[in-house]
Amino acid sequence: MEQKNFEVIIVGGSYSGLSAAMSLGRSLRQVLVIDSGLPCNRQTPHSHNFITQDGEKPAVISAKAKLQVDIYKTVQFYNGLAVKALKSENGFEITTESGEIFTARKVLFATGVRDLLPEIEGFAACWGISVLHCPYCHGYEVKNEKTAIIANGEMGYEYAKLISNWTKDLRLCTNGKSELTLEQTQTLKNHGVLILEEEIDSLAHSEGYVSDIIFKNGEKVHIKAIYTKPPFEQHCNLPQEIGCEINEQGYLKVDFMQKTTIPGIFGSGDATTQMRSVALAVSSGSFAGAVINKELIDENFK
């Protein structure tokens, strides 16, 4: 790639990054999208709750998006990993794993998050397939099925309330001693939620589709779907290294204009919000692109 200087560099070329690239490409901006090709939903067989793309494979959506963005010749793609971000005299420098350096006046981090999966045998193989995080994305497909939630305390209580909208055949696995209050325990029991406190040993499954939760005491529960929210970390540490703040929940801190705490750096998609979905990632990326373009216009008119 001969060109090294751009108006905008987008780090992360999945749904949010591609959406921002389209917005900026249609604004005639010189844009570079750097992407390593590891979206967090790469194991998920189908994407839902995204109008016009409901039920489509995630990889198909992103491939189609990339083809459409590629029409805008001011947008270029770099397949690789960004490993360093620095402030420069006229903006920012992004260095890739292969040692190439690109510069831009603005940077958008659309880098997502990395889920930290528990050391439960079978969990990783089922993650995104039958072990789910979002009922709005996947709840309809397992409605009224035998369902478990792996959570505890306040999160377990609120999660059970939420999932009970999609199925009444529900049990809450606290994976150890329950941290529910007496009132929460009684409320869940009144609504038919079974509370299981045994520690989980493994998940029995076939090609990622869970069949049983096996507990360390040897007991097992037949199940068709599991909901849980594992901890996560930022997929990319460059925003923090350059000085962008992370909020108390672990997300890249942005304001209502998708601006981080460092002027000229923006964030969008899953890295910035607990509302993880393709539709919302696309929305925030499109908006971030428009805001970046407006900021460039305003600077040019000074």
Side-chain angles (χ1 to χ4, degrees):
M1 179 180 291
E2 293 183 4
Q3 184 175 346
K4 298 295 182 180
N5 304 313
F6 296 85
E7 291 177 290
V8 185
I9 292 176
I10 299 172
V11 184
S14 191
Y15 313 103
S16 191
L18 288 170
S19 182
M22 176 172 281
S23 181
L24 288 161
R26 291 181 59 81
S27 301
L28 311 180
R29 295 299 176 186
Q30 295 290 326
V31 179
L32 176 65
V33 181
I34 300 175
D35 184 60
S36 61
L38 292 173
C40 68
N41 69 346
R42 56 189 178 275
Q43 189 166 287
T44 303
H46 301 284
S47 176
H48 292 283
N49 207 29
F50 182 16
I51 199 73
T52 76
Q53 302 296 324
D54 190 51
E56 186 57 274
K57 295 178 180 178
V60 171
I61 298 174
S62 58
K64 183 177 181 181
K66 188 172 181 179
L67 283 173
Q68 292 182 348
V69 173
D70 199 39
I71 291 172
Y72 301 96
K73 298 308 178 185
T74 56
V75 180
Q76 297 187 48
F77 293 91
Y78 180 91
N79 183 23
L81 185 67
V83 296
K84 185 185 295 184
L86 296 172
K87 297 178 184 178
S88 64
E89 184 177 348
N90 298 315
F92 304 94
E93 289 184 357
I94 302 294
T95 303
T96 68
E97 193 171 37
S98 63
E100 293 187 78
I101 298 176
F102 301 99
T103 65
R105 291 168 59 187
K106 309 293 178 184
V107 172
L108 169 66
F109 286 107
T111 41
V113 295
R114 180 187 293 110
D115 296 301
L116 305 176
L117 305 183
E119 295 293 330
I120 296 174
E121 182 181 349
F123 190 102
C126 296
W127 180 237
I129 300 173
S130 60
V131 177
L132 313 168
H133 77 285
C134 176
Y136 297 101
C137 296
H138 305 290
Y140 184 85
E141 283 62 46
V142 291
K143 62 184 182 301
N144 301 322
E145 297 283 7
K146 292 182 180 296
T147 300
I149 296 167
I150 301 176
N152 207 342
E154 186 69 21
M155 177 181 287
Y157 177 68
E158 292 297 330
Y159 219 170
K161 284 169 57 180
L162 178 65
I163 303 304
S164 68
N165 182 73
W166 281 267
T167 182
K168 303 304 179 186
D169 196 346
L170 186 61
R171 63 279 301 141
L172 174 62
C173 300
T174 58
N175 197 24
K177 184 175 177 57
S178 172
E179 298 171 2
L180 297 164
T181 66
L182 291 175
E183 182 180 0
Q184 289 171 336
T185 299
Q186 190 59 53
T187 300
L188 291 180
K189 287 181 177 179
N190 290 345
H191 286 270
V193 179
L194 182 63
I195 299 171
L196 305 174
E197 298 186 59
E198 292 295 333
E199 292 187 24
I200 298 170
D201 178 72
S202 59
L203 304 180
H205 68 95
S206 176
E207 297 183 350
Y209 290 92
V210 66
S211 58
D212 297 277
I213 297 176
I214 301 171
F215 297 95
K216 289 185 177 180
N217 66 357
E219 296 179 0
K220 65 180 182 180
V221 174
H222 182 63
I223 217 79
K224 294 288 286 185
I226 297 172
Y227 288 92
T228 191
K229 293 181 179 179
F232 68 92
E233 63 184 9
Q234 288 287 316
H235 191 265
C236 175
N237 61 7
L238 296 187
Q240 293 159 273
E241 289 182 3
I242 203 170
C244 298
E245 291 183 23
I246 303 295
N247 65 23
E248 293 179 355
Q249 291 76 41
Y251 296 101
L252 184 58
K253 187 175 182 179
V254 295
D255 65 11
F256 70 102
M257 299 295 280
Q258 303 298 139
K259 297 181 180 183
T260 71
T261 53
I262 299 295
I265 299 181
F266 297 75
S268 66
D270 290 354
T272 65
T273 176
Q274 62 181 334
M275 296 297 290
R276 294 169 61 178
S277 78
V278 174
L280 290 171
V282 168
S283 174
S284 68
S286 181
F287 183 64
V291 172
I292 292 170
N293 180 61
K294 180 62 165 58
E295 190 165 281
L296 288 167
I297 290 171
D298 288 344
E299 289 175 0
N300 290 340
F301 265 74
K302 288 183 178 178

